[in-house]
């Protein structure tokens, strides 16, 4: 009776939680973004505990939220990810890839270039009356009223820059009467990408401390309102911020073993990362699953059909993205958390092999490509630092917990090449076709 009562209570709690979560997800979002973030953190725990069926609706609702203020801090919450249920970990994985897709589209957009007036040899001038102007990339012309007796000193100071063709200097009187003016015009400009403006500085908003500070230019001044960098620097700063966030997201999506492989490649080559006791273990085999994130259009891989049922990596281009993670003979089993069988793309010969690859043309970057390999662990007789053998076998399909956003890539199809079986020369593989993804 007690067990029955507990079961009834669980069903009631699950039903009430499902109704509450559904109302929250379909209702308008809270006014403050901090409230929205807090609400969705609570939803992760409630849905994972009481109503996992609401997980797909949670993902769809969360995708409409602001990436910078809500989704990015949500998916980066280490405590939340580690304590979430399996279904919500998968949901957070989907949202992580959604963030990667949005951020990747931002940093892939060409922001264009602007013309700046940066002189390569501005340091050749030592006169404080205009030294800040010569180093200022925002200004082309500096014209100010100054005593005639000072003009010869200015011309002497600027002589080298004039001979190099970087500036033109004029001593003149605007009208028939009145004070003399001195005018410097920069002759050389540079085209600088907006995305790199964060490395430039200017003196538009700083005041002058020279003895000529009372002689301000009569038709232009170094005010921040006319600052060329200020007009574009906010865009450049946002671009750099998005680039940093995308790198963090990529590291989050990368499998832990591959993170170590990228950070310590030499140690891995020498086998220093492995415990010494591992070499004394008996021969073992284990299945290794790899989820590799691709953001570039080209995968740099050549796939071969093996035994009419498997897409094996035959060759890897030297310039392929993630070339240090994928190995020859790895088996491509799916995309974005779903195997080919789940996507209705089961490989059963040349036709379905080509059809499966063709279907991938319509997806968007970034995407997680799922590979599998059988890893043979060295026995006690192995040499220190020896690389583990890798062999891939046909095995029953199993679900993967990875999830993601599929991307688009140009694919070229060719035929006539023979695929190679992985570390198993006993039988010649029945391979009749090859697809080049480079």
């Amino acid at each position: 009776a007690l067990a029955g009562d507990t079961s009834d209570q669980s069903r009631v709690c699950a039903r009430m939680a499902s109704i509450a979560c559904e109302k929250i997800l379909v209702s308008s979002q809270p006014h403050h973004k901090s409230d929205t973030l807090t609400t969705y953190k609570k939803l992760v725990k409630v849905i994972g505990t009481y109503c996992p069926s609401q997980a797909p609706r949670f993902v769809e609702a969360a995708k409409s939220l602001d990436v910078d203020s809500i989704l990015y801090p949500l998916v980066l919450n280490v405590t939340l990810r580690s304590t979430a249920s399996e279904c919500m970990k998968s949901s957070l994985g989907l949202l992580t890839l959604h963030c990667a897709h949005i951020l990747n589209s931002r940093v892939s957009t060409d922001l264009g270039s602007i013309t700046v007036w940066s002189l390569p040899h501005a340091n050749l001038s030592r006169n404080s009356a205009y030294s800040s102007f010569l180093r200022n990339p925002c200004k082309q012309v500096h014209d100010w009223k100054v005593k005639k007796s000072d003009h010869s000193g200015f011309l002497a100071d600027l002589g080298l820059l004039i001979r190099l063709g970087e500036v033109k200097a004029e001593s003149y009187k605007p009208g028939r009467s009145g004070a003399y003016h001195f005018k410097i015009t920069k002759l050389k400009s540079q085209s600088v990408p907006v995305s790199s403006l964060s490395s430039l500085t200017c003196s538009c908003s700083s005041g002058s401390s020279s003895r000529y500070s009372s002689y301000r230019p009569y038709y232009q001044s170094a005010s921040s309102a006319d600052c060329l960098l200020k007009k574009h620097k906010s865009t450049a700063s946002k671009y750099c911020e998005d680039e940093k966030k995308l790198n963090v997201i990529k590291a989050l999506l990368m499998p832990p073993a591959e993170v170590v492989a990228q950070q310590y490649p030499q140690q891995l080559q020498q086998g220093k990362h492995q415990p010494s006791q591992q070499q004394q273990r008996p021969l073992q085999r284990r299945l290794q699953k790899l989820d590799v994130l691709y953001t570039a259009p080209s995968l740099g891989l050549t796939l071969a059909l093996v035994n009419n049922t498997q897409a094996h990596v035959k060759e890897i281009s030297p310039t392929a993205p993630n070339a240090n993670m994928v190995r020859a003979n790895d088996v491509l089993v799916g995309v974005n958390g779903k195997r080919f069988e789940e996507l209705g793309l089961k490989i059963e010969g040349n036709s379905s092999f080509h059809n499966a690859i063709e279907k991938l043309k319509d997806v968007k970057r970034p995407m997680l490509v799922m590979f599998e390999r059988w890893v043979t662990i060295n026995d006690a007789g192995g040499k220190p630092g020896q690389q583990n053998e890798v062999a891939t076998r046909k095995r029953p399909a199993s679900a993967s917990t990875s999830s993601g956003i599929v991307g688009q890539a140009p694919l070229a199809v060719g035929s006539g090449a023979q695929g190679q079986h992985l570390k198993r020369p006993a039988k010649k593989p029945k391979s009749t076709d090859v697809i080049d993804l480079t």
Side-chain angles (χ1 to χ4, degrees):
L2 291 176
D5 292 341
T6 303
S7 177
D8 291 341
Q9 290 177 2
S10 298
R11 284 197 296 270
V12 171
C13 290
R15 180 58 181 163
M16 293 176 64
S18 180
I19 294 173
C21 291
E22 186 175 355
K23 287 184 177 180
I24 293 173
L25 293 173
V26 300
S27 63
S28 58
Q29 303 298 337
H31 180 70
H32 298 290
K33 293 178 179 179
S34 60
D35 295 340
T36 304
L37 179 58
T38 302
T39 300
Y40 271 76
K41 286 180 180 178
K42 293 179 180 178
L43 285 175
V44 170
K45 298 179 181 179
V46 173
I47 293 176
T49 305
Y50 297 106
C51 48
S53 60
Q54 293 293 331
R57 183 169 293 181
F58 169 84
V59 173
E60 291 305 314
K63 285 182 178 180
S64 64
L65 301 175
D66 181 71
V67 170
D68 299 304
S69 60
I70 301 175
L71 281 189
Y72 182 74
L74 180 69
V75 300
L76 253 65
N77 192 310
V78 178
T79 304
L80 187 67
R81 295 177 75 99
S82 61
T83 58
S85 64
E86 287 302 319
C87 77
M88 294 314 292
K89 283 181 180 177
S90 178
S91 298
L92 290 174
L94 281 170
L95 294 179
T96 303
L97 278 164
H98 175 71
C99 290
H101 173 66
I102 298 298
L103 294 172
N104 187 66
S105 64
R106 292 180 186 176
V107 300
S108 300
T109 303
D110 185 12
L111 302 180
S113 302
I114 64 170
T115 300
V116 297
W117 301 96
S118 298
L119 300 181
H121 303 94
N123 59 328
L124 295 177
S125 172
R126 302 296 181 185
N127 197 307
S128 60
Y130 44 77
S131 59
S132 62
F133 158 74
L134 295 177
R135 293 170 175 79
N136 191 343
C138 300
K139 302 297 179 183
Q140 182 189 10
V141 179
H142 189 47
D143 190 332
W144 76 107
K145 182 174 65 174
V146 66
K147 293 184 296 183
K148 173 67 174 176
S149 58
D150 291 333
H151 290 200
S152 58
F154 295 162
L155 290 171
D157 177 72
L158 295 170
L160 209 53
L161 290 174
I162 294 173
R163 288 192 291 274
L164 290 172
E166 294 187 12
V167 300
K168 180 177 70 173
E170 302 176 63
S171 173
Y172 73 104
K173 185 183 293 186
R176 294 183 178 180
S177 60
Y180 275 90
H181 284 248
F182 196 82
K183 180 180 179 181
I184 305 174
T185 304
K186 296 178 184 177
L187 301 178
K188 291 186 177 180
S189 61
Q190 296 181 15
S191 181
V192 179
V194 173
S195 58
S196 63
L197 288 183
S198 56
S199 61
L200 297 180
T201 58
C202 68
S203 56
C204 292
S205 58
S206 62
S208 174
S209 58
S210 72
R211 65 189 182 92
Y212 301 99
S213 59
S214 59
Y215 299 103
R216 301 305 300 165
Y218 78 101
Y219 69 86
Q220 51 88 35
S221 61
S223 65
S224 59
D226 301 325
C227 180
L228 183 63
L229 296 186
K230 186 178 180 180
K231 294 177 181 178
H232 299 277
K233 236 177 181 181
S234 59
T235 303
S237 299
K238 186 67 171 64
Y239 179 91
C240 293
E241 181 184 345
D242 290 338
E243 205 168 31
K244 290 178 182 177
K245 288 181 177 179
L246 181 59
N247 291 333
V248 173
I249 290 291
K250 284 182 178 179
L252 190 64
L253 290 171
M254 193 177 298
E258 305 307 328
V259 174
V260 176
Q262 286 194 353
Q263 291 178 348
Y264 306 104
Q266 294 181 352
Q267 287 86 339
L268 285 175
Q269 254 186 352
Q270 301 169 5
K272 293 181 180 178
H273 68 293
Q274 297 177 349
S276 59
Q277 295 179 354
Q278 186 175 5
Q279 297 178 357
Q280 301 177 0
R281 295 177 182 174
L283 186 64
Q284 298 179 10
R285 301 179 70 83
R286 64 181 177 86
L287 181 67
Q288 184 178 9
K289 297 181 180 181
L290 300 176
D291 290 347
V292 182
L293 178 67
Y294 285 94
T295 58
S298 173
L299 302 188
L301 305 176
T302 299
L303 301 180
L305 176 63
V306 175
N307 296 330
N308 287 326
T309 58
Q310 294 179 331
H312 284 206
V313 176
K314 182 181 179 184
E315 294 179 359
I316 304 171
S317 169
T319 58
N322 302 314
N324 62 323
M325 298 169 62
V326 181
R327 303 177 188 174
N329 299 330
D330 283 354
V331 183
L332 176 62
V333 297
V335 180
N336 298 333
K338 291 189 176 181
R339 301 178 67 88
F340 286 135
E341 293 86 348
E342 298 177 75
L343 297 171
L345 303 174
K346 186 176 181 180
I347 299 176
E348 296 178 318
N350 294 336
S351 178
S352 57
F353 176 52
H354 282 271
N355 184 53
I357 302 302
E358 288 295 325
K359 290 290 185 181
L360 299 180
K361 289 183 178 181
D362 299 328
V363 295
K364 299 178 182 178
R365 290 288 186 269
M367 68 175 176
L368 277 180
V369 180
M370 301 160 57
F371 297 94
E372 288 183 356
R373 65 171 72 118
W374 280 97
V375 177
T376 301
I377 304 175
N378 291 333
D379 59 13
K383 297 180 180 179
Q386 181 180 351
Q387 294 292 330
N388 289 343
E389 276 190 26
V390 175
T392 305
R393 297 178 178 173
K394 179 181 175 183
R395 66 184 188 85
S398 61
S400 173
T401 58
S402 304
S403 54
I405 300 172
V406 182
Q408 182 175 2
L411 306 176
V413 178
S415 61
Q418 295 292 325
Q420 298 180 0
H421 197 46
L422 307 179
K423 303 288 184 180
R424 299 188 60 82
K427 294 183 179 180
K428 189 174 181 181
K430 301 176 181 178
S431 172
T432 58
D433 226 331
V434 167
I435 292 184
D436 186 8
L437 302 182
T438 58

